[in-house]
Amino acid sequence: VTQKNGQVLKGGTIHFATKSDTLLRVTALIKEDGTFSLRTLKDSAAQNGAPEGDYEVEIHLPLKQGGGLTDPHKGVAPIRLPGTYKVKAEDNTFKIVLP
């Protein structure tokens, strides 16, 4: 994940959502080098990767530490990426540039 200026996004989270299964949670922490590895949660089961399909993607930017907030994401709008991303039944690589 990179920013418009080409700098790597260091931290934050990425969420993939599909309209076909609203109970499916596909998410990852964005690492310091801008990469991420998706993990799928459904009911009480978790597994690496994501099921095949088309996903809408949302980025939650990293937050500064401190400030004493009980919910550090409260009031911080996520960035919803335009279009959808297709996950295939293989290793997937996505080049994501923040709008």
Side-chain angles (χ1 to χ4, degrees):
V1 179
T2 58
Q3 299 175 56
K4 278 193 261 188
N5 62 8
Q7 289 185 329
V8 170
L9 181 64
K10 297 179 180 185
T13 57
I14 188 165
H15 302 271
F16 281 51
T18 179
K19 293 178 182 176
S20 64
D21 189 347
T22 58
L23 298 178
L24 190 69
R25 295 183 48 91
V26 180
T27 187
L29 293 174
I30 300 170
K31 300 174 192 169
E32 289 291 312
D33 64 358
T35 63
F36 60 91
S37 295
L38 293 173
R39 187 150 174 85
T40 298
L41 307 167
K42 185 166 181 183
D43 301 323
S44 60
Q47 65 182 32
N48 291 329
E52 223 175 339
D54 293 317
Y55 292 86
E56 293 177 343
V57 176
E58 195 172 85
I59 305 277
H60 293 257
L61 297 174
L63 300 171
K64 294 180 181 178
Q65 298 297 315
L69 299 174
T70 56
D71 182 359
H73 283 285
K74 186 174 185 175
V76 178
I79 298 170
R80 188 170 301 252
L81 301 179
T84 59
Y85 289 77
K86 185 170 198 65
V87 173
K88 299 177 184 174
E90 58 190 43
D91 284 344
N92 291 265
T93 300
F94 300 104
K95 182 176 175 134
I96 296 175
V97 179
L98 297 180

